[in-house]
Amino acid sequence: MSAFDVDLFVIGGGSGGVRAARIAAGYGARVMLAEEYRMGGTCVIRGCVPKKLLVYASRFSGEFEEAAGFGWNVPTPSFDWATLIRNKDAEIARLEGVYRKSLVAAGVEIVDSRAVIEDAHTVRIVETGSRVRARIILVAVGAHPTLEPRIPGGELGITSNEVFHLERLPERILVVGGGYIAVEFAGVFAGLGSRVTLLHRGDKLLRGFDEDIRDALGEAYGRRGIDLRLRRTVERLDRHGGAIRATLSDGSVLEVDEVLVATGRRPNTAGLGLEAAGIEVDRAGAIPVDGYSQTITPSIYAVGDVTNRANLTPVAIREGHAFADTVFGNKPAMVDHSLIPTAVFSTPEIGVIGLSEAAARLRGPVTIYKTSFRPMKATLSGHDDRVLMKLVVDGETDKVLGVHILGEGAGEIIQAVGIAVTMGATKADFDRTIAVHPTAAEELVTMRTPFVVKHPQAVG
Ligand SMILES: Cc1cc2nc3c(=O)[nH]c(=O)nc-3n(C[C@H](O)[C@H](O)[C@H](O)COP(=O)(O)OP(=O)(O)OC[C@H]3O[C@@H](n4cnc5c(N)ncnc54)[C@H](O)[C@@H]3O)c2cc1C
């Protein structure tokens, strides 16, 4: 008889854990998975999926406005937050069920409880106090949003966890943060009709993204009526009747109905028992792992946001899959984190793969192609949005190092372009690709004249 109760114990039923459990079970491993909240994890329950549903909802207002130029007479639309949230919740519950079923179908035993580590091979089920001996433990516990920096009255703010359950649409909302989550929710609330102030301590939104994209998004948000306040922080929050008063570092005071703090996330490693298994977390609270997601303790692996490598669902899934292939499928697999296509579901949307111009310039000579234009739809709608497309090309090898898009459908476009870039496409490959007309994406294969740089970008 085996000395272990299971071959694999997965802690966390999110993107990475669920994939790893299913694939490992498919290889014949006896797998148990513990989830302390709701199956599906952050992405399904309070991340990507509900967020995208809210993004869809928020874009109708623009569509209604644009319709007039195409001959439609749209009666003044009205919006009901409660309906949106109810429908969103029903869809999330459905998806949660799908995740559960897929695990059960794969033969994974589900434990609805928090689980903590007791030693290199032992997990304690908190609900029952029982212990499970596992040959391998996979930590896939994700991360949580923080209300930071701590300020007086900070507890009046909400995080992305609570924003999905607000009882009513705030008339006025202050969104604090400059990363993609802050940017996306600012866009959502603006589209739904709230008065939005977006406050960020940096001088541009979306640090790490290409400077042209950062500039274009700032301008687009300004045009959408989002009150962008940069180089400022919130010093304190006070309750004022039914509202919240935010005192900013420039001395100004804002009165709003909600304050959404989207300034950072922290891995869920506190109280997990990692020390008992000889694992130390880094300064961000993340678990250090090698290329195979193995920790310093050979029987314990970690994937997804808890490792703070690239905190995105498809990356967590890929890491979970690679772990299962390596450990249970006899197919050692590492995840390449160097080229990750990604989207920001702002409105207008952003799609990116590869290096920003600034990052590419640090490596050697580059040629830049870029174009900014009014999308065709705007000619009749009168909308003032612009599309930005930019290619960063290696000046020596002609390889496309980065593609940056801001405009409608950017997320969909970048997924397809990402294949070419991942394959190592050159600018010449882009050039010999026949355009699809009339589309916005055709610009990606029709840009011929390099952009002459007067002031090379600084690293953002
Ligand atoms: C608002 C928001 C929007 C996002 N949008 C996108 C997007 O558009 N695209 C994208 O790719 N990514 C997006 N993300 C990121 C994405 O959600 C995460 O990268 C992904 O969910 C990480 O997967 P994971 O498996 O590492 O962790 P998670 O999905 O967070 O799963 C971890 C699970 O572990 C459980 N858990 C924690 N501790 C324990 C314990 N001790 N015992 C038992 N269970 C435990 C948690 O309850 C959770 O269910 C978004 C995130 C947020 C917050």
Side-chain angles (χ1 to χ4, degrees):
M1 226 186 99
S2 163
F4 300 110
D5 303 313
V6 294
D7 298 311
L8 171 63
F9 195 105
V10 180
I11 310 180
S15 309
V18 168
R19 173 60 67 96
R22 276 187 26 228
I23 301 302
Y27 287 127
R30 290 169 304 159
V31 183
M32 197 178 274
L33 179 149
E35 168 54 54
E36 68 175 346
Y37 181 53
R38 292 178 66 182
M39 198 60 78
T42 303
C43 181
V44 176
I45 306 297
R46 44 197 181 185
C48 338
V49 176
K51 183 262 317 268
K52 187 83 187 280
L53 295 174
L54 264 55
V55 168
Y56 281 127
S58 72
R59 289 182 178 166
F60 283 98
S61 52
E63 297 280 319
F64 294 140
E65 278 169 20
E66 289 188 276
F70 292 88
W72 288 95
N73 176 13
V74 182
T76 309
S78 65
F79 169 72
D80 183 36
W81 172 260
T83 303
L84 171 63
I85 297 303
R86 193 171 55 246
N87 291 348
K88 179 266 293 175
D89 286 343
E91 172 58 9
I92 300 309
R94 186 190 70 81
L95 281 175
E96 188 182 357
V98 169
Y99 270 76
R100 247 174 209 285
K101 269 196 201 134
S102 73
L103 284 170
V104 172
V108 175
E109 187 177 339
I110 297 173
V111 180
D112 291 305
S113 168
R114 180 172 172 79
V116 293
I117 294 172
E118 295 219 313
D119 63 39
H121 291 284
T122 311
V123 173
R124 181 164 52 87
I125 312 289
V126 173
E127 282 286 308
T128 58
S130 60
R131 288 178 173 77
V132 179
R133 295 273 299 157
R135 182 164 73 80
I136 301 287
I137 297 170
L138 177 67
V139 182
V141 293
H144 63 277
T146 54
L147 273 177
E148 279 172 6
R150 301 258 171 228
I151 52 164
E155 66 286 352
L156 295 176
I158 57 168
T159 70
S160 61
N161 279 356
E162 294 78 41
V163 77
F164 293 113
H165 301 286
L166 288 178
E167 277 179 19
R168 58 188 70 83
L169 177 70
E171 256 173 58
R172 304 158 296 177
I173 184 166
L174 169 64
V175 180
V176 185
Y180 81 94
I181 294 177
V183 159
E184 290 177 337
F185 279 110
V188 163
F189 284 107
L192 294 178
S194 304
R195 276 214 316 275
V196 180
T197 305
L198 177 54
L199 182 126
H200 173 46
R201 64 179 180 186
D203 59 357
K204 287 180 196 177
L205 301 169
L206 295 181
R207 189 161 62 90
F209 281 66
D210 189 273
E211 296 296 310
D212 281 320
I213 292 285
R214 300 176 76 189
D215 291 336
L217 180 72
E219 286 161 23
Y221 266 24
R223 280 196 299 271
R224 289 190 72 196
I226 294 173
D227 178 5
L228 196 53
R229 308 221 186 164
L230 299 168
R231 294 177 287 272
R232 263 160 278 197
T233 53
V234 186
E235 305 244 293
R236 61 177 299 128
L237 299 177
D238 294 285
R239 171 103 23 235
H240 184 74
I244 301 169
R245 274 195 175 161
T247 307
L248 310 186
S249 52
D250 61 6
S252 62
V253 176
L254 269 180
E255 195 167 290
V256 293
D257 304 301
E258 295 289 352
V259 177
L260 170 62
V261 180
T263 46
R265 293 177 61 76
R266 201 168 168 83
N268 288 326
T269 45
L272 195 59
L274 291 164
E275 329 64 49
I279 298 170
E280 265 178 47
V281 297
D282 67 15
R283 279 179 53 198
I287 300 178
V289 288
D290 68 9
Y292 292 105
S293 298
Q294 191 171 29
T295 70
I296 195 165
T297 302
S299 59
I300 303 187
Y301 289 69
V303 296
D305 284 10
V306 74
T307 62
N308 199 22
R309 286 175 280 184
N311 300 330
L312 293 166
T313 277
V315 177
I317 291 174
R318 186 61 70 89
E319 289 167 0
H321 202 129
F323 152 79
D325 281 348
T326 303
V327 179
F328 296 99
N330 203 20
K331 286 187 280 187
M334 284 208 207
V335 177
D336 179 2
H337 292 90
S338 64
L339 266 184
I340 299 172
T342 183
V344 178
F345 295 100
S346 45
T347 304
E349 200 166 290
I350 294 169
V352 173
I353 183 165
L355 298 179
S356 67
E357 179 180 341
R361 281 192 188 285
L362 291 177
R363 299 183 1 164
V366 293
T367 312
I368 301 299
Y369 297 83
K370 65 177 166 185
T371 175
S372 166
F373 57 94
R374 254 184 119 196
M376 191 180 190
K377 198 171 165 194
T379 56
L380 296 200
S381 73
H383 216 269
D384 53 6
D385 261 352
R386 296 188 70 78
V387 176
L388 173 76
M389 298 208 173
K390 176 169 178 178
L391 300 181
V392 179
V393 179
D394 190 311
E396 278 159 7
T397 64
D398 197 40
K399 219 167 139 176
V400 177
L401 300 175
V403 180
H404 307 271
I405 306 170
L406 177 134
E408 192 176 337
E412 305 292 340
I413 298 170
I414 209 69
Q415 180 66 87
V417 177
I419 301 171
V421 176
T422 303
M423 290 174 75
T426 59
K427 177 67 168 63
D429 292 322
F430 274 52
D431 292 347
R432 69 192 171 87
T433 305
I434 293 178
V436 178
H437 186 70
T439 63
E442 68 182 303
E443 297 287 334
L444 290 174
V445 298
T446 54
M447 286 188 268
R448 291 289 184 272
T449 315
F451 182 80
V452 182
V453 184
K454 295 188 192 99
H455 306 286
Q457 290 183 359
V459 181

